[in-house]
Amino acid sequence: MNPGELTKKSRMLETIIDNAYEWLVVVNKDGMIDYMNKTYCEFLEVDRETVVGRHVTDVIENTRMHIVARSGNMELADLQYIRGNYMIANRVPIYQDDEIIGAVGTVIFRDTEQWKQMNTHIKVLLSELEYYRSGSSKENGASYSLYDIVGTSEPIRSLKEKVKQVASGNVSVLIRGESGTGKELFAHSIHQLSERSNRPFIKVNCGAIPDQLLESELFGYEEGAFTGAKKGGKLGKFELADKGTIFLDEIGDMPANMQVKLLRVLQDREVERVGSLRTKKVDVRIIAATNRPLEAMVEERRFREDLFYRINVIQLFIPALRERVQDVKPLAESFVRKISAKAGKRVIGIEDNAMQLLLQHNWPGNARELENALEASVHLTRTETVNVASLPDYLKENEGLVTGNRKLKDIVEKAESEAIRKTLIQCENDKLAAAKILGIGKTSLYDKINKYDLF
């Protein structure tokens, strides 16, 4: 290679290194800087010409480059605090003819939050891999991921993206939505994608535990604390969840006296067992869920305002199934696959007329009601598909117009109102698109929306 080509390649390599995403510094065995790339200089707000030849400790705070250059011991993925940020740095000794001549250091992630986001992304990919590896017969048990949340609607896609964003942090999350919308699945998904994923996930149903037992369930008790107390005492849910996540389901049903004690735990990050005079520190992430109107309960003094603000740092709202009709079909198909595998039956789909009845129903019990209806249908069907005959009787009321004592005008208006409502949901409230599907003008659609008080 002639000198001109060598010079050209050297300049090209220097340009690449200068503009590389990673920051890079090279020191000699005495810890003096031999090279620092452009992006690192820009972050440190130093001039490269003045940096070269200076000792690395004069330029980079909390550096260990001079130590690695002297000891020859490689340091990988080490946290380093520089200019208000924790960064993840690699330091590798440089050898020439078996003699150490210096060290090269790189910063892969600019701060730990960036690393956490990358970690969350990797976990999402691993969850997807596990989903396809285990197949549709997977039994979820007490562990769910984002890929167990079925839905193609914009609200569900948006919620999944938000979960990915908030999972890596430690902030409290409040999940809201009607009963049966899948709040627990989202709670599990947040934990699975968090830095605490290899730690405990403890669920507490605040509405299912009797008031007199809730304190001992949450905080534990000492031996002899009360009649019937177990020998040696018992760990509470918060201690069991230490370093992990606690999921407080139906938190709106928590009695007032326990709200005060829960608030103290969230503020001080310590618990006191029943019958004990000592407290114990706990490191727990809080995820809460409710279908209750907490704001109204705060105004009525049935829920503490300070507790509400403590748990409501990040809020996820899961819309009802009737507000995302396009999710009914994929949910139904997913439930049939899971239920038929569990039941040992060969049921491979849902007939079109049966699916139409599922799409017409309002689903006040949401996805849970849909799953229960299909579980009955899978067991009742005598064919390889779910058909109208196998559906629960209350769903078949929509199979035709049931007039009863109603006037024709009322029947028509009811059908028209329902058709407009579902079309608007399907079009994600795009009124122009909805009017086109319905075959009416936009002005006429607006008149009917006002008439039937829709949205």
Side-chain angles (χ1 to χ4, degrees):
M1 185 180 296
N2 62 54
E5 289 180 350
L6 184 62
T7 301
K8 183 179 179 181
K9 288 186 178 293
S10 296
R11 287 175 180 171
M12 183 185 297
L13 180 61
E14 185 173 355
T15 301
I16 292 170
I17 295 173
D18 261 349
N19 294 281
Y21 183 70
E22 292 85 359
W23 297 335
L24 185 143
V25 62
V26 179
V27 301
N28 64 21
K29 63 180 180 180
D30 297 319
M32 311 301 285
I33 296 175
D34 282 340
Y35 177 81
M36 181 178 286
N37 72 343
K38 179 183 175 184
T39 51
Y40 207 169
C41 289
E42 288 173 350
F43 171 71
L44 296 174
E45 296 180 348
V46 295
D47 181 74
R48 182 157 51 181
E49 300 302 322
T50 61
V51 162
V52 174
R54 293 174 61 185
H55 197 273
V56 68
T57 56
D58 294 333
V59 180
I60 305 173
E61 61 183 301
N62 301 313
T63 184
R64 290 177 52 82
M65 287 294 297
H66 57 302
I67 297 172
V68 172
R70 185 172 62 247
S71 69
N73 296 323
M74 182 168 53
E75 296 180 356
L76 299 178
D78 186 45
L79 281 178
Q80 183 176 346
Y81 191 77
I82 311 176
R83 306 197 71 181
N85 285 288
Y86 278 104
M87 306 189 183
I88 300 172
N90 294 327
R91 307 179 190 98
V92 180
I94 303 172
Y95 286 89
Q96 187 175 61
D97 298 327
D98 296 328
E99 180 183 351
I100 188 167
I101 61 171
V104 58
T106 58
V107 176
I108 300 177
F109 299 97
R110 306 297 170 84
D111 56 50
T112 51
E113 285 305 312
Q114 185 180 359
W115 180 85
K116 287 178 181 178
Q117 288 294 328
M118 180 67 74
N119 195 28
T120 294
H121 176 67
I122 292 170
K123 286 180 178 178
V124 169
L125 296 178
L126 289 175
S127 295
E128 184 176 10
L129 176 63
E130 179 59 28
Y131 175 82
Y132 288 113
R133 179 183 294 165
S134 59
S136 60
S137 62
K138 173 185 173 185
E139 290 299 325
N140 296 326
S143 181
Y144 305 95
S145 72
L146 279 184
Y147 288 89
D148 294 302
I149 300 172
V150 178
T152 58
S153 65
E154 174 55 33
I156 292 299
R157 292 201 304 268
S158 178
L159 278 169
K160 286 185 175 184
E161 288 304 314
K162 196 168 184 180
V163 165
K164 294 176 188 178
Q165 290 177 328
V166 306
S168 62
N170 283 316
V171 294
S172 298
V173 180
L174 177 62
I175 306 173
R176 308 186 71 167
E178 294 181 7
S179 179
T181 50
K183 297 186 289 294
E184 184 175 348
L185 270 67
F186 279 94
H188 276 269
S189 298
I190 293 169
H191 176 74
Q192 291 281 19
L193 295 177
S194 74
E195 299 302 302
R196 300 170 180 261
S197 59
N198 61 341
R199 298 291 185 169
F201 178 86
I202 304 297
K203 177 189 173 184
V204 181
N205 190 324
C206 301
I209 303 173
D211 294 358
Q212 63 272 23
L213 298 179
L214 188 55
E215 181 176 6
S216 61
E217 280 294 311
L218 285 176
F219 310 133
Y221 58 79
E222 296 289 352
E223 181 178 339
F226 49 82
T227 304
K230 191 165 63 174
K231 186 177 180 180
K234 180 184 176 182
L235 292 174
K237 301 295 188 184
F238 270 91
E239 286 186 79
L240 291 171
D242 191 30
K243 302 293 189 298
T245 304
I246 191 164
F247 175 43
L248 301 174
D249 199 8
E250 307 298 349
I251 196 169
D253 295 333
M254 181 173 283
N257 65 313
M258 282 305 303
Q259 292 178 29
V260 178
K261 294 178 180 179
L262 175 61
L263 179 64
R264 190 177 304 127
V265 172
L266 300 187
Q267 288 175 336
D268 301 335
R269 295 291 171 178
E270 57 185 26
V271 295
E272 183 178 322
R273 293 186 189 179
V274 176
S276 176
L277 299 177
R278 295 178 301 173
T279 60
K280 179 180 178 181
K281 288 286 185 182
V282 289
D283 173 17
V284 176
R285 184 182 192 176
I286 307 295
I287 301 177
T290 186
N291 59 2
R292 305 286 294 276
L294 292 186
E295 291 86 352
M297 292 175 68
V298 167
E299 290 183 9
E300 296 166 4
R301 299 186 181 279
R302 292 189 291 134
F303 198 87
R304 291 186 64 94
E305 184 177 20
D306 42 9
L307 178 58
F308 174 68
Y309 289 124
R310 180 69 65 168
I311 63 174
N312 190 35
V313 180
I314 299 288
Q315 186 173 134
L316 302 179
F317 178 75
I318 308 174
L321 189 54
R322 63 182 173 276
E323 296 172 3
R324 44 188 179 94
V325 178
Q326 57 267 56
D327 288 337
V328 171
K329 188 173 187 292
L331 269 170
E333 292 170 343
S334 174
F335 287 146
V336 166
R337 288 194 299 269
K338 184 178 77 170
I339 294 164
S340 60
K342 186 177 179 181
K345 293 191 67 173
R346 178 176 167 79
V347 181
I348 58 175
I350 304 172
E351 293 182 8
D352 289 345
N353 53 356
M355 182 64 76
Q356 284 305 310
L357 291 182
L358 297 180
L359 291 169
Q360 290 171 19
H361 188 60
N362 273 339
W363 301 111
N366 294 293
R368 184 180 295 127
E369 181 190 358
L370 175 61
E371 183 174 16
N372 290 341
L374 288 168
E375 185 165 13
S377 299
V378 168
H379 284 87
L380 289 172
T381 186
R382 295 180 178 180
T383 67
E384 292 187 345
T385 56
V386 169
N387 50 42
V388 171
S390 65
L391 291 176
D393 290 340
Y394 74 94
L395 293 176
K396 288 182 277 189
E397 291 176 2
N398 292 326
E399 191 174 3
L401 287 175
V402 182
T403 59
N405 295 318
R406 293 186 297 165
K407 294 179 180 179
L408 180 60
K409 178 175 178 292
D410 295 333
I411 296 171
V412 172
E413 286 185 345
K414 175 66 176 175
E416 184 178 59
S417 171
E418 192 67 8
I420 293 172
R421 185 185 70 81
K422 288 185 176 179
T423 305
L424 285 169
I425 292 171
Q426 179 185 336
C427 297
E428 298 179 353
N429 214 31
D430 184 336
K431 296 179 178 62
L432 188 61
K436 188 174 181 180
I437 290 172
L438 292 166
I440 60 177
K442 190 174 181 181
T443 302
S444 178
L445 176 62
Y446 274 107
D447 290 341
K448 292 180 185 296
I449 289 172
N450 293 329
K451 176 182 177 180
Y452 300 126
D453 195 23
L454 296 170
F455 305 98

